[in-house]
Amino acid sequence: MMGKKKEKGTLIVLSGPSGVGKSTVIAELLSERKDIYFSVSFTTRQPRVGEEDGVNYNFVAREEFERMIANDELLEYAEYVHNYYGTSLRVIREKLDAGIDVLLDIEVQGAAKVRAKCADAVCIFIVPPSFEELSRRLHRRATDSEEVIQGRLQKAREEYREIPNYDYLVVNDKVSDAAAEIISILTAEGCRTKNRMNLVEGV
Amino acid sequence: MMGKKKEKGTLIVLSGPSGVGKSTVIAELLSERKDIYFSVSFTTRQPRVGEEDGVNYNFVAREEFERMIANDELLEYAEYVHNYYGTSLRVIREKLDAGIDVLLDIEVQGAAKVRAKCADAVCIFIVPPSFEELSRRLHRRATDSEEVIQGRLQKAREEYREIPNYDYLVVNDKVSDAAAEIISILTAEGCRTKNRMNLVEGV
């Protein structure tokens, strides 16, 4: 029954502080669960080295982003460290209606907006094993100035206050373990009675 | 983090109609997750061929069972096809307090009583792929008369009405798939934010 087509896809919201290794976990997750549609966010920030337009983000100009806001084309959007980040509504709706699970990588403000609109969303917060380790990872990445890194660490502490609003908490100690836990969460969510009553005869 | 000791064990309740193959699924589950404590129920029914006292059930006389009821030693008990089935409270409490997950195999009346006493219990209902298949399995088992089999099928239909009260629904088509789904459910439950806030610094 594990591959059985669902009537409606699950909307999965993944949040976690900058530097926690979310992109790596997501890459591992998507390589194991190729049936998941990863919703590529729109952003006005500059691509980092190795980031690809349409893969990591849809990189757009500030004017284009503000046009999407004005046209109500976004499920959620937020401004974060002076850049916009947002999620297109239309594509997500199509996928969910086709029974496909959709994965969103969004920060805590956006996640709160999605939760308000989609009560069925499954929200997962990823943390590092410790703040010390988060600081190490941000320094190792070597893409940001010390000032930006300190800003990200401060931001992480604020984001942590939102954790109780998430359904699940995953610690990214080892990427493969974190991805495996998320896969288990998705399998379990698919087993929820409310999502499976169509499999029961005569009820 | 997957092996991280929990502060408190999860109480897992497994129900499903007679003949669904619950014992086989449980055996597979326990061979994969040796850390789970399987609570052996007490019953007054006769052992079936191959069943062992203290392993499948603690087989006791009706008088002994009624003494346990009188002494309030049971978490739940029920009478089912003229026999008592029940669960000892003391052992379960000790295991949960020691951070060990406890698995209960109980029918729907008992499960309702456990739910009333333990709001945190994770309740899983196992169904066969169809009633036709359930009938086939009961006949294949060849331990019961046709009359008893018909009684069990009728009972199954009544038990199905309780399914909406269960958190998860697992279809036992292939034993290994059913066991894998239950393992995913237990992993996911361990990832619930409320069970993991102790892993988060400074919150």
Side-chain angles (χ1 to χ4, degrees):
Chain A
M1 306 307 303
M2 299 186 79
K4 176 106 186 180
K5 191 63 173 301
K6 293 188 292 184
E7 289 189 352
K8 210 168 180 323
T10 302
L11 182 58
I12 310 140
V13 171
L14 217 59
S15 300
S18 181
V20 74
K22 235 186 324 163
S23 310
T24 320
V25 172
I26 288 172
E28 174 93 8
L29 172 64
L30 296 177
S31 79
E32 293 283 324
R33 281 280 313 264
K34 295 190 200 305
D35 56 311
I36 294 175
Y37 173 77
F38 179 56
S39 168
V40 178
S41 299
F42 288 77
T43 184
T44 58
R45 84 150 159 76
Q46 291 300 309
R48 293 200 198 106
V49 177
E51 282 186 341
E52 219 175 307
D53 187 31
V55 175
N56 303 89
Y57 285 98
N58 296 304
F59 296 99
V60 296
R62 200 169 178 89
E63 297 68 38
E64 168 66 4
F65 201 101
E66 287 172 345
R67 188 199 59 75
M68 293 194 291
I69 296 171
N71 286 0
D72 207 17
E73 292 178 21
L74 301 168
L75 172 60
E76 57 78 34
Y77 72 94
E79 207 169 356
Y80 182 79
V81 196
H82 312 303
N83 281 302
Y84 282 125
Y85 294 79
T87 308
S88 166
L89 184 58
R90 187 183 51 79
V91 179
I92 290 172
R93 208 171 256 163
E94 284 171 12
K95 300 288 178 186
L96 292 177
D97 287 347
I100 296 166
D101 292 342
V102 175
L103 178 65
L104 298 184
D105 168 5
I106 46 179
E107 46 61 69
V108 297
Q109 302 172 51
K113 288 176 194 165
V114 171
R115 247 193 318 268
K117 285 185 187 172
C118 312
D120 282 349
V122 174
C123 299
I124 304 171
F125 197 92
I126 306 187
V127 291
S130 66
F131 265 101
E132 212 185 322
E133 172 61 19
L134 183 64
S135 171
R136 250 196 306 273
R137 289 181 191 178
L138 284 167
H139 283 95
R140 207 185 302 142
R141 198 160 76 178
T143 52
D144 300 315
S145 68
E146 185 60 30
E147 195 193 338
V148 170
I149 289 177
Q150 290 307 321
R152 292 197 191 282
L153 286 170
Q154 179 52 38
K155 186 80 188 171
R157 290 184 187 277
E158 291 164 31
E159 288 168 335
Y160 268 39
R161 291 193 208 118
E162 290 293 316
I163 292 178
N165 296 322
Y166 284 74
D167 303 301
Y168 299 99
L169 183 69
V170 168
V171 183
N172 184 23
D173 194 353
K174 213 176 134 210
V175 170
S176 56
D177 286 353
E181 286 194 341
I182 295 172
I183 289 170
S184 289
I185 291 168
L186 301 184
T187 301
E189 285 292 330
C191 294
R192 287 204 164 274
T193 301
K194 65 178 166 63
N195 296 333
R196 276 200 158 166
M197 285 308 284
N198 61 314
L199 301 182
V200 180
E201 286 172 295
V203 175
Chain B
M1 307 309 301
M2 297 184 82
K4 177 106 185 176
K5 190 66 172 302
K6 292 188 291 183
E7 289 190 352
K8 209 167 180 324
T10 301
L11 182 60
I12 311 140
V13 171
L14 218 59
S15 302
S18 179
V20 74
K22 237 186 322 163
S23 310
T24 321
V25 172
I26 288 172
E28 174 93 8
L29 172 62
L30 295 178
S31 79
E32 294 283 322
R33 281 280 313 265
K34 296 189 201 302
D35 57 309
I36 293 174
Y37 173 76
F38 178 54
S39 167
V40 178
S41 298
F42 288 78
T43 185
T44 58
R45 85 149 160 75
Q46 290 302 309
R48 294 201 198 106
V49 177
E51 281 186 339
E52 217 175 310
D53 188 31
V55 176
N56 304 88
Y57 284 97
N58 296 305
F59 296 99
V60 294
R62 200 169 178 89
E63 295 69 37
E64 167 65 6
F65 201 100
E66 285 171 347
R67 188 197 61 75
M68 294 195 290
I69 296 173
N71 285 359
D72 207 17
E73 292 179 20
L74 301 168
L75 173 60
E76 57 77 34
Y77 70 95
E79 205 168 359
Y80 182 78
V81 195
H82 312 302
N83 281 300
Y84 281 124
Y85 295 80
T87 307
S88 166
L89 183 59
R90 187 182 52 79
V91 179
I92 291 174
R93 209 173 255 160
E94 282 172 12
K95 299 288 178 185
L96 293 176
D97 287 346
I100 297 166
D101 292 342
V102 175
L103 178 65
L104 298 184
D105 168 5
I106 47 178
E107 46 61 70
V108 296
Q109 302 171 50
K113 287 176 195 165
V114 171
R115 248 194 316 270
K117 286 186 188 173
C118 314
D120 282 350
V122 174
C123 299
I124 306 171
F125 196 93
I126 306 187
V127 291
S130 65
F131 266 101
E132 213 185 321
E133 173 60 19
L134 184 62
S135 170
R136 251 196 305 274
R137 289 180 191 178
L138 284 168
H139 282 95
R140 207 186 301 141
R141 196 161 76 176
T143 51
D144 299 315
S145 68
E146 184 61 29
E147 195 192 339
V148 170
I149 289 177
Q150 289 309 318
R152 291 198 191 282
L153 286 169
Q154 179 52 37
K155 187 78 187 171
R157 289 184 188 279
E158 290 164 32
E159 287 169 336
Y160 269 38
R161 290 192 210 119
E162 291 293 316
I163 291 178
N165 295 324
Y166 283 74
D167 304 301
Y168 298 99
L169 183 69
V170 168
V171 182
N172 183 22
D173 194 352
K174 215 177 130 206
V175 169
S176 57
D177 286 354
E181 287 194 341
I182 294 171
I183 289 169
S184 289
I185 289 167
L186 300 185
T187 301
E189 286 291 330
C191 294
R192 287 204 165 275
T193 302
K194 65 177 166 64
N195 296 332
R196 275 199 159 169
M197 285 309 283
N198 61 315
L199 300 182
V200 179
E201 286 173 295
V203 175

